[in-house]
């Protein structure tokens, strides 16, 4: 994935070009390998490239006679898209970039093109023949995308991968809704992705098909191994991350036995590279080491000190663009880990986000319908929290996080299962259907106590509760009762209620003007809390 900055209908695009390129450079951490700009009429497309798939010919913007494209994307079915168009007169593939498949899909399907893409993406495609801009974001919002306006020039549209590229010129910014298309020649927002499991009246009834679960997740991992650069797997010590590492290990072993050893577009290293991160002595670190030894991986255990974590907080908040307490806590270790990975030459990290939301259950629920609705709610919120904290924290160092559990097919399979099969009980563990799908006594994926263990680990890295306790103590020492009593006026709509929340909001304000706070959603007691304005927008776009 990369960084994009776009403006359309600008009254003086030529005069704004240098400013657009300067704003795009605030995203250079997302794309340190190359940059490019396209200007035509009132439209500017800027791109900061992270080179993972494709050669130097894969640079962006991709410009053709009829269209120009910038994308932060990983299109896993790009070769299939190309092959399906091989005989079409309008197929003029000129690069080996997977993002070029977006152009081919648009030529055939117009604004419905995202429906035919298997991957994660945020893109802006300019149709030069119609002065038409089409902007889209992937169904679950794995890639980040924001839209902004300037009240002095309301006709101009601005888009960027992160809001830090928008706030200098926009006095209103919002997160672009996942699963939507904006088409300047059609309705303002078009929802292209509406799976049946999202419907309020939907109550899944399918029986558990363990083979289907195993096959779909294995394929999802295989697709996410697509890389021309070194990649690794986040091994937090949890069952979910351990399972991803186990599947990668098996896929690499199978790939070595193929007649074409580069079938997965990778050099197939001798061992899987796994990574763990945490404070020295954290319990999950020893579990990660045990799993790594069982799988025979090249394991990199990174331990950071509390002082290193505290020193990173300001940068973490700048790059993740949030002051949500749980997100900051989880992002800091990933931020530190990605810095280390970049220094060692790694550009891709497979991670287990999404497993709890699609396969997890709940012990005490009033009804199966309530459990299903809660699961749907949490999946819809992922783009505010777990996905974005992992995506932005790693992209801060030019490392691309990939999430096999959030593969479209895996989500469809998991969400079609009767929720009674997921309910936690004395005889049924959390994620039991997933555990059983990979329980192979003759050729085990994982040690039995890991596969069927009930250990709880902190999200995104398994840093444990010691890190959280230290953060609370630090905030308590820094923030006085007087500071809590006399808060800035622009916090009035959404005041922090704990000292830790106060600390993060103060750091956020050091980097971003007040209008940016409206983009931040917060978790409080498993309830999403946003500003009134943002809740109104979310209801209009997403309900």
């Amino acid at each position: 994935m990369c960084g994009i900055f776009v403006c359309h209908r600008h009254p003086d695009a030529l005069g704004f070009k240098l400013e657009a390129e300067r704003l795009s450079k605030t995203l250079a951490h997302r794309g340190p390998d190359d940059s490019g700009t396209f200007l035509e009429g009132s439209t500017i497309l800027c791109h900061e490239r992270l080179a993972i798939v494709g050669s130097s010919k894969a640079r962006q913007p991709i410009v053709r006679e009829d269209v120009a494209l910038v994308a932060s994307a990983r299109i896993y079915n790009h070769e299939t898209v190309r092959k399906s168009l091989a005989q079409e007169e309008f197929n003029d593939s000129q690069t080996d970039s997977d993002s070029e498949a977006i152009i081919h899909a648009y030529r055939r399907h117009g604004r419905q093109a995202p429906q035919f893409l298997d991957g994660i993406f945020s893109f802006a495609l300019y149709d030069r023949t119609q002065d038409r801009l089409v902007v889209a974001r992937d169904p679950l919002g794995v890639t980040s995308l924001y839209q902004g306006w300037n009240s002095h020039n309301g006709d101009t549209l601005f888009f960027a991968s992160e809001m830090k590229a928008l706030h200098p010129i926009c006095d209103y910014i919002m997160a672009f809704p996942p699963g939507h298309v904006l088409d300047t020649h059609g309705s303002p927002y078009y929802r292209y992705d509406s799976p049946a499991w999202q419907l309020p009246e939907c109550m899944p009834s399918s029986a558990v098909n363990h083979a289907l679960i195993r096959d779909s997740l294995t394929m999802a991992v295989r697709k996410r191994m697509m890389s021309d650069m070194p990649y690794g797997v986040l091994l937090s010590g949890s069952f979910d991350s351990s399972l991803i590492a186990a599947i990668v290990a098996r896929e690499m072993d199978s790939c070595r036995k193929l007649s074409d050893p580069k079938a997965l577009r990778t050099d197939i290293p001798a061992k899987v590279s796994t990574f763990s991160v945490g404070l020295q002595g954290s319990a999950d670190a020893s579990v990660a080491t045990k799993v790594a030894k069982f799988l025979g991986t090249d394991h990199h255990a990174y331990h950071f000190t509390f002082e290193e974590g505290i020193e990173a907080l300001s940068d973490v908040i700048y790059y993740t663009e949030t002051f949500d307490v749980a997100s900051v806590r989880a992002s800091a270790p990933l931020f530190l880990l990605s810095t280390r990975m970049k220094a060692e030459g790694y550009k891709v990290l497979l991670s287990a986000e999404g497993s709890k939301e699609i396969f997890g259950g709940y012990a005490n629920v009033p009804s199966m319908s309530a459990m299903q609705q809660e699961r749907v709610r949490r999946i819809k919120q992922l783009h505010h929290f777990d996905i974005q904290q992992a995506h932005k924290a790693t992209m801060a160092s030019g490392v691309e996080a990939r999430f096999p559990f959030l593969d479209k097919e895996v989500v469809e399979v998991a969400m079609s299962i009767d929720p009674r099969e997921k309910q936690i009980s004395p005889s049924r563990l959390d994620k039991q259907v997933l555990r059983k799908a990979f329980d192979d006594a003759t050729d085990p994926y994982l040690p039995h106590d890991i596969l069927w263990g009930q250990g709880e680990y902190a999200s995104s890295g398994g840093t444990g509760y010691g890190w959280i306790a230290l953060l609370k103590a630090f905030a308590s020492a820094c923030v006085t009762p007087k500071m809590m009593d006399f808060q800035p006026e622009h916090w009035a709509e959404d005041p922090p209620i704990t000292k830790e929340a106060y600390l993060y909001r103060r750091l956020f304000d050091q980097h971003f003007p007040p209008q940016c706070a409206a983009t931040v959603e917060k978790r409080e007691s498993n309830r999403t809390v946003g500003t009134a304005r943002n809740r109104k927008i979310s209801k209009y776009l997403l309900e």
Side-chain angles (χ1 to χ4, degrees), residues 108-352:
R108 171 171 281 190
H109 304 290
R111 70 175 187 174
Q112 296 180 344
Q115 298 180 42
F116 301 90
L117 301 175
D118 178 12
I120 51 177
F121 50 82
S122 293
F123 70 79
L125 184 147
Y126 178 62
D127 189 322
R128 305 172 70 185
T129 66
Q130 304 180 58
D131 189 28
R132 174 188 188 185
L133 187 71
V134 177
V135 181
R137 189 178 181 192
D138 63 76
L140 295 179
V142 174
T143 59
S144 56
L145 185 64
Y146 294 85
Q147 182 174 357
W149 294 265
N150 186 308
S151 57
H152 298 293
N153 187 13
D155 291 336
T156 303
L157 302 176
F158 298 94
F159 304 89
S161 296
E162 296 178 7
M163 66 180 177
K164 58 178 60 68
L166 294 177
H167 72 73
I169 54 171
C170 297
D171 47 24
Y172 180 62
I173 301 170
M174 61 168 261
F176 192 93
H180 281 69
V181 169
L182 181 149
D183 180 2
T184 59
H185 278 206
S187 58
Y189 294 95
Y190 164 71
R191 187 174 196 146
Y192 69 84
D193 182 73
S194 299
W197 56 262
Q198 286 191 8
L199 300 176
E201 65 274 16
C202 178
M203 177 54 62
S205 58
S206 298
V208 178
N209 185 329
H210 294 106
L212 183 60
I213 293 172
R214 183 173 59 252
D215 292 346
S216 63
L217 184 57
T218 298
M219 179 58 70
V221 170
R222 185 180 302 160
K223 287 187 288 188
R224 282 153 184 81
M225 293 169 65
M226 180 181 77
S227 177
D228 293 331
M229 298 294 171
Y231 62 87
V233 182
L234 180 62
L235 187 54
S236 68
S238 68
F239 154 66
D240 319 271
S241 66
S242 300
L243 180 58
I244 297 299
I247 296 172
V248 171
R250 290 195 177 209
E251 285 299 301
M252 287 178 59
D253 185 59
S254 297
C255 194
R256 292 189 195 96
K257 299 174 183 178
L258 297 175
S259 57
D260 178 6
K262 292 189 177 181
L264 296 179
R265 299 181 61 88
T266 177
D267 291 334
I268 316 178
K271 293 184 177 181
V272 179
S273 293
T274 53
F275 295 83
S276 63
V277 59
L279 295 169
Q280 187 70 44
S282 57
D284 46 284
S286 61
V287 179
T289 300
K290 175 181 178 179
V291 173
K293 185 176 180 180
F294 177 85
L295 297 176
T297 72
D298 179 16
H299 189 57
H300 307 249
Y302 173 46
H303 299 101
F304 64 93
T305 65
F306 175 64
E307 290 74 18
E308 289 174 323
I310 292 299
E311 289 177 2
L313 284 179
S314 180
D315 285 341
V316 168
I317 290 171
Y318 172 74
Y319 285 110
T320 59
E321 302 181 322
T322 187
F323 49 85
D324 171 60
V325 171
S327 294
V328 174
R329 290 171 175 173
S331 296
L334 272 179
F335 173 82
L336 294 169
L337 174 62
S338 62
T339 302
R340 178 66 64 88
M341 290 183 66
K342 179 182 179 181
E344 296 181 7
Y346 291 87
K347 286 191 172 184
V348 176
L349 179 68
L350 274 67
S351 189

